[in-house]
Amino acid sequence: MTTTQRDASTIEWAELSTPTRTDVPTEPHQWKDNAYLGFWDEKAEIYGLFHWSTSPNPSDPAAIYGQLSVTVKGRTIDVIEPLKIGQQGYSSETIRFDLGPEVGIDHPEVKIEFVTRPRFHVADYSQGGIVPALDGSFFNHFHQSAFITGTVTFEGQTHAFDGLGWRDRGWGFRAEALNFTQYFAALVCFEDYDISVFKMGQPDGSVRVDGMVLRENDFDKIVDVSVVRDFNGLTAAFTVTTATGEVIEVERGSVKAHHYVPMGPVRAKGPAFSVVEEFDDFRITGGSAGFGLVEHGILRTLF
């Protein structure tokens, strides 16, 4: 995949660099500030994610943390570190992220130095109301694909990284075990456009779909997505329909890695939301090849 990159010094991450909230809300709900970076370099065989969740008024102080999960040539490491209540940004003991272009970790077992650059148009999920908030409003939620360059050092070897990924930033009143029932999300990069789409079960039992086919300066709205699952209940294929009536059929190829994405307390005796993320190659039926990640979220209610 060959795409012209833009200079990071001339581009801001806009909504995705929104500062975390440090003051305690007056409303009787938990406020959450979440951020995410999923990344891959197929040539280097590196697939992973950073994920952060913090709050000025957490229902459980142990539920705010930063995470790195990465697979390097088939070997995986997970690092989870606590964050401080109401802290600005997401830096922890060894993980560094101040919502700018640079992301890194300096851990005894793994070191990463990344620079991220926006790739195509931002996906704004705040307007469609697909992510419910506890106060009856909607969670502010933005996605954008990224060029990612840097290095990954793991098990004594340093690997150059030149790949793609997705950044995410969300904030508002949220508690996953109360907000969500289940969801499907696909974030896939092709040479000339990206697909970002969510299908999410709502607390009232309804289902909402929102998404976009994103290009550098514009996008087409996605109004529907259907999913074909494999024998593990993961993605075999999915089909999106845009507001203009275009139908895009996407077939999954091979699965390169799986990671879990923490969404709640370290220990929960009660409903808990569980998310698994798969890194896959994809192909448009009769068309171009791409790569991306798919998330499957489900509320586990047996305890």
Side-chain angles (χ1 to χ4, degrees):
M1 182 180 296
T2 303
T3 311
T4 301
Q5 296 193 19
R6 292 167 282 176
D7 182 70
S9 66
T10 66
I11 297 174
E12 296 180 349
W13 276 102
E15 297 92 345
L16 287 93
S17 63
T18 299
T20 55
R21 183 169 184 169
T22 58
D23 64 300
V24 176
T26 58
E27 296 86 346
H29 303 294
Q30 174 182 252
W31 179 276
K32 293 193 79 172
D33 277 292
N34 288 1
Y36 166 91
L37 173 66
F39 54 88
W40 64 84
D41 181 338
E42 295 177 84
K43 184 176 180 180
E45 298 180 64
I46 298 173
Y47 312 93
L49 64 96
F50 287 93
H51 180 253
W52 299 269
S53 184
T54 190
S55 171
N57 63 336
S59 57
D60 179 357
I64 57 174
Y65 40 72
Q67 170 203 7
L68 165 72
S69 294
V70 63
T71 298
V72 181
K73 298 187 181 299
R75 299 276 291 173
T76 298
I77 185 171
D78 299 293
V79 178
I80 297 180
E81 298 179 342
L83 297 172
K84 296 178 181 178
I85 295 175
Q87 74 173 60
Q88 184 63 260
Y90 292 103
S91 293
S92 54
E93 182 179 357
T94 67
I95 299 172
R96 305 182 313 280
F97 183 45
D98 64 1
L99 292 162
E102 298 180 355
V103 182
I105 182 171
D106 188 5
H107 187 273
E109 297 185 60
V110 60
K111 302 181 189 303
I112 293 177
E113 297 287 346
F114 281 164
V115 175
T116 64
R117 301 174 177 86
R119 186 172 118 96
F120 289 158
H121 201 286
V122 66
D124 181 356
Y125 285 98
S126 304
Q127 303 302 313
I130 191 171
V131 183
L134 291 174
D135 65 345
S137 65
F138 292 98
F139 197 69
N140 297 286
H141 197 201
F142 299 88
H143 275 117
Q144 193 167 13
S145 63
F147 299 109
I148 305 171
T149 55
T151 59
V152 176
T153 302
F154 181 50
E155 295 187 335
Q157 292 189 319
T158 297
H159 308 270
F161 188 99
D162 186 1
L164 299 177
W166 288 84
R167 277 184 57 163
D168 166 292
R169 178 75 175 91
W171 63 93
F173 295 106
R174 168 170 156 172
E176 286 79 6
L178 299 176
N179 290 82
F180 301 157
T181 58
Q182 62 177 315
Y183 74 80
F184 165 87
L187 305 171
V188 184
C189 295
F190 296 94
E191 184 170 2
D192 299 322
Y193 60 89
D194 297 329
I195 293 177
S196 173
V197 64
F198 275 78
K199 189 169 194 174
M200 183 166 286
Q202 303 295 308
D204 63 4
S206 64
V207 176
R208 290 180 178 166
V209 172
D210 197 6
M212 284 137 270
V213 177
L214 302 150
R215 293 172 290 272
E216 185 169 6
N217 298 311
D218 60 10
F219 64 90
D220 293 326
K221 193 76 169 175
I222 293 173
V223 296
D224 192 29
V225 59
S226 61
V227 184
V228 178
R229 299 190 183 275
D230 65 13
F231 44 72
N232 292 315
L234 302 178
T235 309
F238 66 92
T239 300
V240 299
T241 303
T242 70
T244 61
E246 181 183 8
V247 176
I248 304 174
E249 298 177 341
V250 184
E251 288 282 339
R252 188 197 73 193
S254 57
V255 179
K256 302 299 185 180
H258 290 103
H259 293 290
Y260 287 97
V261 183
M263 287 284 184
V266 175
R267 295 171 64 92
K269 188 174 182 180
F273 203 76
S274 177
V275 177
V276 63
E277 187 167 278
E278 51 177 306
F279 289 76
D280 310 318
D281 53 41
F282 292 93
R283 181 171 293 277
I284 300 296
T285 301
S288 59
F291 197 95
L293 53 92
V294 174
E295 284 188 359
H296 309 268
I298 188 74
L299 182 65
R300 302 190 186 278
T301 58
L302 297 179
F303 53 89

